Amino acid sequence: MSTLLLDDCFSGARNILLIGLGAGVVPRFILRNFPSWHVTVVEICPDVIDTAVSHFYFPKTHPRLTVVCGCGDEYIKACNRTFDWIFVDGFDQEGLVGPLLSSDFIQNCRRTLNPSSSLVVNSIALHENSTTVSMRLQGGLGRQVHVIELTETPNFLSLALPSGFSASPKETLFSRAGRLKLISGLDLSSELDRLPCSAL
């Protein structure tokens, strides 16, 4: 969630696309704390959706939520709208992102991202190499990519930044983190060193 702080996430509406639902924690957080945002979730496995609903309080219906049971690659290929953030968090049984890092998929993401938008890809270091993923995203999107290594897990995040991205001062990120903590209870101040930012 700390990647949201790179944007002035409290100003205006956003359209968010999440490919891969998991337990539904991220869309639940967004729907609860950002009342003008709309979330679209694409999940290929109906059992994952059912489990998120039955065990993790994921809402079956919500006026600002669209749930699509289908392939993320196919969805983005046919998509005729744009998004402010795209989060790619889909894995097969081997833990591989697979077609969600193909050149075609990345090109389709480029088409559906607003210039001021960002793309976040969650990968597992046991299977994917952060340098390879970063180069693939840079080449396909034509954007600067920032990698966040998650030392407590084998995962890493590749963050394709908005076109012409200019890092905010760290004090700005602290201010946004403080506001987010106030409205949601989530304290992300310890995560800010992982984000691209300028000095105080």
Side-chain angles (χ1 to χ4, degrees):
M1 299 309 303
S2 61
T3 59
L4 293 175
L5 300 177
L6 295 175
D7 178 22
D8 183 10
C9 54
F10 305 101
S11 63
R14 302 287 191 278
N15 286 312
I16 311 297
L17 172 63
L18 296 104
I19 297 178
L21 174 62
V25 174
V26 172
R28 281 175 47 222
F29 180 88
I30 291 173
L31 292 170
R32 184 174 67 247
N33 295 295
F34 297 97
S36 63
W37 292 22
H38 185 277
V39 179
T40 299
V41 177
V42 181
E43 170 56 53
I44 196 169
C45 180
D47 289 343
V48 170
I49 299 174
D50 292 342
T51 300
V53 170
S54 62
H55 289 77
F56 297 100
Y57 307 103
F58 183 70
K60 275 188 175 180
T61 58
H62 190 285
R64 293 183 289 110
L65 173 68
T66 301
V67 179
V68 177
C69 185
C71 173
D73 185 35
E74 293 298 323
Y75 177 86
I76 205 79
K77 184 185 300 182
C79 189
N80 58 4
R81 57 181 296 196
T82 58
F83 295 95
D84 300 296
W85 282 84
I86 297 178
F87 294 88
V88 179
D89 192 21
F91 300 95
D92 62 18
Q93 292 180 343
E94 303 298 324
L96 294 169
V97 178
L100 300 183
L101 274 178
S102 69
S103 58
D104 285 346
F105 176 80
I106 294 171
Q107 285 295 321
N108 286 321
C109 284
R110 182 175 187 167
R111 177 177 52 80
T112 57
L113 277 169
N114 291 321
S116 59
S117 306
S118 297
L119 169 72
V120 181
V121 178
N122 182 22
S123 303
I124 300 178
L126 298 174
H127 304 290
E128 310 284 350
N129 180 282
S130 61
T131 301
T132 301
V133 173
S134 178
M135 291 178 63
R136 198 176 299 170
L137 291 173
Q138 284 178 346
L141 297 173
R143 297 183 179 206
Q144 175 187 351
V145 176
H146 179 78
V147 175
I148 301 175
E149 303 284 353
L150 305 178
T151 53
E152 65 274 20
T153 76
N155 297 61
F156 64 91
L157 301 179
S158 301
L159 173 60
L161 299 164
S163 302
F165 174 79
S166 179
S168 299
K170 200 167 187 178
E171 61 186 359
T172 299
L173 300 187
F174 269 114
S175 175
R176 292 173 183 168
R179 186 172 177 189
L180 186 62
K181 181 181 179 181
L182 187 65
I183 67 170
S184 72
L186 179 64
D187 186 0
L188 294 173
S189 57
S190 63
E191 302 296 313
L192 299 185
D193 287 338
R194 306 184 192 210
L195 299 178
C197 61
S198 57
L200 286 170

